[in-house]
Amino acid sequence: MPNGSSSRRGSQRTAAPTPYPQSVQRAIDELAAMPGIGRRTAERLAFYLLKGKPEVAQSLASAIGEMRTKASPCTICGNLADEPLCRVCRAAVPLPGGEAPARDASVVLVVEQPRDLFAIEASGAFKGVYHVLMGRLSPLEGVGPGDINIADLLARVDDPKRNAGGLPVREVILGLNPTLEGDATGLYLAEELGKRGVSVSRLARGLPSGGQIDWASKAVLEDAIEGRRGF
Ligand SMILES: [Zn+2]
């Protein structure tokens, strides 16, 4: 679909013929397609990359290429990782010599997106491991249990070999956003996990109503994890 043909119908600006050479226009179009980047910002970024040293643009292009090649979901929890296991899951693997690992793989905190995980990690309030769903159930948008990373979570609970460090999962904490979809996802998971006899809790309601976990402050996250309650 040609950029801007269906959106921004009211704008005369996008309908006008482009003053830029095709190569520059293409870069502007690619940048403007990013979330949160308007036309003006896209133009500013394109000219910054055009006027600066060639290394700046090359470094950006190679960083994007490297990220796309290397970063993939952790094979256990779905967190972003440059290796088969993410940093958190690696820290839950027992150390040689019988020393206790830094993270407790028997407690799994379920979040919707990697950014929720990063916010909780930044608070330093949690020493268990995670499971990233990569979304939430939304019947209205046609997102069902098979569309997000639920099967792998249940497999971790069913088979300790699928969990970090090969440890049985003792408790699952639901760290979903307090939205209608987050609640629906929590109810579904609590039922499935309940059948398996694993303890299910959820973050205390210290989070701003309708807010997002990744916006919450460090203190709010600490309270939410400390004050978690049974589902
Ligand atoms: Zn992981």
Side-chain angles (χ1 to χ4, degrees), residues 177-179 204-217 220-221 224:
N177 285 308
T179 56
R205 290 284 177 169
L207 301 170
S209 176
Q212 304 276 318
I213 285 178
D214 64 335
W215 294 348
S217 72
V220 167
L221 284 170

Side-chain angles (χ1 to χ4, degrees), residues 1-9 14-15 39:
M1 188 174 70
N3 193 18
S5 65
S6 67
S7 59
R8 304 188 186 197
R9 235 172 233 147
T14 51
R39 198 93 215 143

